[in-house]
Amino acid sequence: MDTSGTVLVLTCADDPTADAVIAELSRRNARVARMDTGDFPTALRLTATTVGGCWTGRLATDDTHVDLADVGSVYFRRPTRFRLPPGMSPADEVFAAVEARHGFGGLLAALDVLWVNQPIRQAAAEYKPLQLATAAACGLRIPATLLTNQHTEVRDFAEQVGGPVVCKQLSSLVFSEDDEMRVTYTTVIGPAAIDPAAFAATAHLIQEFVPKAYEARVTVVGRTPIGVAVRSTSAAGRIDWRSDYDALTYTWIDVPATVTQGINRFLDALGLHYGAFDFVITPDGEWVMLECNPAGQWLWLEHETGAPIAAALADLLTQGPAR
């Protein structure tokens, strides 16, 4: 059986988004190997050798295997952390996890194939200060932004922008507290109400609150933008639509050519083949980029609108970027 051009899907066991892409790949009769890096070393085995700098070898579980030489592309979704053998001391756990990351992760990084997205580049692209600087350099408008842990700077910044300001989380961290998932949403803040000691404890991203007619999620696969307008009927949703999904409506929209060009320059600059971009569209029709989610979710948009995102990803993973 010819296994060349295998699409290696790296994700967790329960991932409906990956399932949708794999279903599309199957319709194209593509060979797919689905694995979770978290299964290494307890259920996923690794063997590789190099001669002249080219790695050969295989990844294998009890259910599937893939030869490295056969991998044509990698869909890097949401693999889990390495699960180490029980009974190790804390020091040995740290050592084994670091060695696994450098060994297993380093081998994957050496694969000269199409990645959606390459983990190192995706990790770099998640830094919002880098995103904003890159977006501005690529011709996209961004909000006026302050990065600080000094509460007095927020007051001065609010006076400078002459309107409301919001505080946004710098990372995509979701944590659990008292057995409940906690998500930090964008929040309108009053500088006078800030607790100086608490604010000084870490970095905060403060931005002008951009007046909005509506918002848009632009999911870009390769260089194909799929634009969806996101409108909210609730006050909370108009500040951060993630806070009230029940109040949202979705419609397909065209992405202006100048915005598409800026997005493509952004992806080129950061070495990405996929990105989920969030924009505010002002009452005057101007598009203002808030952020790019290099591993952003999209399946719910496909369900809501019929946007062919899974099909676009399958095309990219089997055919490569459009020339």
Side-chain angles (χ1 to χ4, degrees), residues 14-24 27 77 217 219 226 228-229 245 248-252 297-311:
D14 183 16
D15 185 356
T17 302
D19 293 342
V21 175
I22 290 171
E24 287 291 338
R27 293 189 185 98
R77 260 288 298 169
R217 166 62 67 94
T219 306
I226 300 172
V228 175
Y245 280 93
L248 303 181
T249 60
Y250 309 91
T251 52
W252 281 22
Q297 298 282 23
W298 52 265
L299 188 60
W300 99 100
L301 286 176
E302 182 159 301
H303 290 163
E304 292 283 350
T305 68
I309 302 172

Side-chain angles (χ1 to χ4, degrees), residues 123-147:
E126 289 174 348
Y127 287 106
K128 284 189 172 64
L130 174 62
Q131 285 188 19
L132 293 169
T134 303
C138 292
L140 297 168
R141 182 188 159 185
I142 62 171
T145 303
L146 169 69
L147 184 63

Side-chain angles (χ1 to χ4, degrees), residues 162-222:
V165 296
V166 296
C167 184
K168 299 180 64 175
Q169 187 173 328
L170 280 156
S171 72
S172 57
L173 177 67
V174 177
F175 63 95
S176 177
E177 186 175 57
D178 298 328
D179 296 325
E180 292 186 12
M181 299 303 294
R182 304 288 186 179
V183 179
T184 302
Y185 298 115
T186 299
T187 305
V188 177
I189 60 171
I194 293 174
D195 180 339
F199 194 83
T202 191
H204 300 272
L205 186 74
I206 311 298
Q207 290 184 325
E208 62 174 322
F209 183 74
V210 180
K212 62 184 70 172
Y214 59 94
E215 295 184 63
R217 166 62 67 94
V218 181
T219 306
V220 186
V221 180

Side-chain angles (χ1 to χ4, degrees), residues 303-319:
H303 290 163
E304 292 283 350
T305 68
I309 302 172
L313 282 162
D315 287 341
L316 176 62
L317 289 162
T318 54
Q319 301 171 17

Side-chain angles (χ1 to χ4, degrees), residues 56-133:
T56 60
R58 69 165 37 190
L59 308 175
T61 68
D62 290 340
D63 300 320
T64 190
H65 73 272
V66 60
D67 291 330
L68 297 177
D70 292 337
V71 176
S73 60
V74 182
Y75 185 37
F76 185 81
R77 260 288 298 169
R78 297 198 170 184
T80 60
R81 295 181 178 181
F82 298 116
R83 288 182 288 277
L84 303 172
M88 301 177 71
S89 70
D92 285 345
E93 284 185 351
V94 171
F95 178 79
V98 171
E99 290 297 289
R101 179 168 63 86
H102 282 268
F104 196 108
L107 178 67
L108 292 177
L111 291 177
D112 186 17
V113 298
L114 173 73
W115 282 82
V116 185
N117 286 306
Q118 214 283 345
I120 296 173
R121 291 176 175 174
Q122 180 166 295
E126 289 174 348
Y127 287 106
K128 284 189 172 64
L130 174 62
Q131 285 188 19
L132 293 169

Side-chain angles (χ1 to χ4, degrees), residues 228-249:
V228 175
V230 181
R231 294 179 172 86
S232 177
T233 59
S234 73
R238 283 191 288 272
I239 296 172
D240 188 331
W241 53 257
R242 299 173 303 163
S243 67
D244 192 356
Y245 280 93
D246 291 340
L248 303 181
T249 60

